[in-house]
Amino acid sequence: MSELGALLRRAREERNLSLDDIQELTKIRKRYLEAIESGDYRVLPGTFYVRAFVKNYSEAVGLEPDEVLRLYQHEIPAAPIEQTVEPIPARKPRQVKSQTSERFGKIGFNLVMWLFLIVIVVVVWYFVINKNTDDPKTVDETNITENSAPPQETSTGSSPDVAPTPPPPTKAPTTVVFDRKAGSADQYLIGPAGGTHQLEIKVNGGRNWIEVREGSSSGNKLFYANAEDGAVQTYELTGVLYINVGRADLAEIKVDGVLVPDGDRANSKKLLLKPTEEDAAGDGTGDGMEGGAGTEAFGEGSNSITKGE
């Protein structure tokens, strides 16, 4: 097995992905993936596909494809150099003007000029006729409407029979409080209780691996792929959501516009967002002290190649 194949296989196993999963993500046949891991590039359809397949494989397992190609370029066969042949410019046919075409061109030009003058005369005549014509029926209807309009009340006082409209209730601000470590994930309590919260995950700075599941890391998949730069994923936070990002520094996670601290480091980050329940709505103050300590615990060692685990 080559060094490149060992690196790709180790990254795949760390993410608990099988070759069938990589085949589903990259649309590359499984036997080609096995050949890349074993370093047997002769199985691939051509040297041109080697770099493309290695790049897609690297992105699927959270590695930086350009860095992988640069470090292991001695293992990857170079693509054949294509010889380019400059095309010989074709000669433009000479344009032969006949006397007949010139004559018809002059006639067409004269017709266009006359039509243009006729259109101008018709437009001027139409506007002059309409300007001098008054519609008395319209004038009378306008006067009747103006005269029959009821007078506007100028009093600023309110009628004693009309009750004042109460102001709309103000919505309590959203709170994001660190709760505890749940395995390898940081759990946050989202308040206030009883409300509907909007989760937004935005990729900013480059392609990034995003995984969103319901309940836990083994729950129902809501999103499971590499997201392009600038992509935005939104979800209604009605229950516990598990989030796994390949690189925390390339992801911006917000709940109702409130930023969720993810460490902002060049490594993966796992979070559990849990809406606060009704009976625990008043316990947010005590968890806030623990949240400060949890924020300082962010930031593991970064790797210039890997995007995620």
Side-chain angles (χ1 to χ4, degrees):
M1 180 181 293
S2 64
E3 294 180 2
L4 174 58
L7 173 65
L8 295 175
R9 180 176 182 180
R10 184 169 59 254
R12 173 176 62 81
E13 292 175 349
E14 288 178 354
R15 302 185 73 87
N16 295 325
L17 297 174
S18 64
L19 288 176
D20 293 329
D21 295 332
I22 301 300
Q23 178 180 253
E24 181 182 354
L25 290 173
T26 62
K27 308 305 179 185
I28 301 174
R29 294 182 180 178
K30 183 177 179 180
R31 64 190 187 95
Y32 293 155
L33 299 174
E34 293 175 346
I36 292 174
E37 287 190 355
S38 62
D40 187 8
Y41 302 116
R42 295 173 298 176
V43 178
L44 274 66
T47 56
F48 172 78
Y49 294 94
V50 176
R51 297 177 65 87
F53 286 177
V54 170
K55 183 177 181 180
N56 291 341
Y57 194 151
S58 301
E59 291 178 348
V61 296
L63 300 178
E64 184 66 34
D66 295 334
E67 190 71 11
V68 171
L69 293 175
R70 184 183 66 82
L71 292 177
Y72 297 97
Q73 60 183 348
H74 62 280
E75 292 189 15
I76 302 174
I81 301 176
E82 297 181 357
Q83 295 181 355
T84 58
V85 179
E86 296 182 357
I88 300 176
R91 295 182 179 179
K92 296 182 179 180
R94 296 181 179 179
Q95 297 179 355
V96 180
K97 294 184 179 180
S98 61
Q99 295 180 355
T100 303
S101 61
E102 293 180 355
R103 183 177 60 194
F104 280 107
K106 292 179 179 179
I107 294 175
F109 177 77
N110 292 332
L111 287 175
V112 171
M113 291 298 298
W114 278 107
L115 289 174
F116 180 72
L117 292 175
I118 292 172
V119 170
I120 292 177
V121 172
V122 171
V123 171
V124 172
W125 175 81
Y126 176 78
F127 279 101
V128 170
I129 294 300
N130 287 345
K131 185 176 181 181
N132 295 331
T133 302
D134 294 329
D135 190 355
K137 183 178 179 181
T138 304
V139 175
D140 293 342
E141 290 179 354
T142 304
N143 293 333
I144 293 173
T145 304
E146 292 178 354
N147 295 330
S148 61
Q152 298 292 331
E153 296 182 1
T154 57
S155 174
T156 58
S158 60
S159 174
D161 297 334
V162 179
T165 303
T170 58
K171 182 180 179 181
T174 300
T175 58
V176 178
V177 180
F178 177 77
D179 181 29
R180 60 187 176 87
K181 291 288 287 187
S184 60
D186 291 345
Q187 179 169 297
Y188 285 87
L189 297 180
I190 308 301
T196 301
H197 303 285
Q198 192 77 11
L199 170 64
E200 178 183 285
I201 305 174
K202 181 178 181 181
V203 178
N204 188 9
R207 179 181 290 185
N208 197 1
W209 171 265
I210 301 295
E211 178 183 1
V212 181
R213 294 176 181 264
E214 293 180 344
S216 65
S217 59
S218 59
N220 181 37
K221 290 181 183 179
L222 300 180
F223 191 83
Y224 189 82
N226 279 317
E228 300 294 335
D229 185 15
V232 178
Q233 300 289 332
T234 57
Y235 306 92
E236 282 194 2
L237 189 62
T238 57
V240 179
L241 286 183
Y242 169 81
I243 303 172
N244 180 15
V245 294
R247 288 185 55 172
D249 59 337
L250 301 182
E252 187 178 76
I253 305 173
K254 291 183 178 180
V255 178
D256 298 337
V258 179
L259 187 66
V260 179
D262 57 5
D264 199 20
R265 301 292 181 88
N267 52 8
S268 65
K269 191 65 181 178
K270 302 177 179 63
L271 304 117
L272 279 172
L273 301 184
K274 180 180 180 182
T276 305
E277 299 178 357
E278 292 290 347
D279 55 356
D283 297 337
T285 307
D287 294 335
M289 298 297 293
E290 189 176 355
T295 305
E296 295 177 358
F298 286 120
E300 302 171 359
S302 61
N303 192 314
S304 61
I305 296 179
T306 59
K307 287 183 178 179
E309 292 185 350

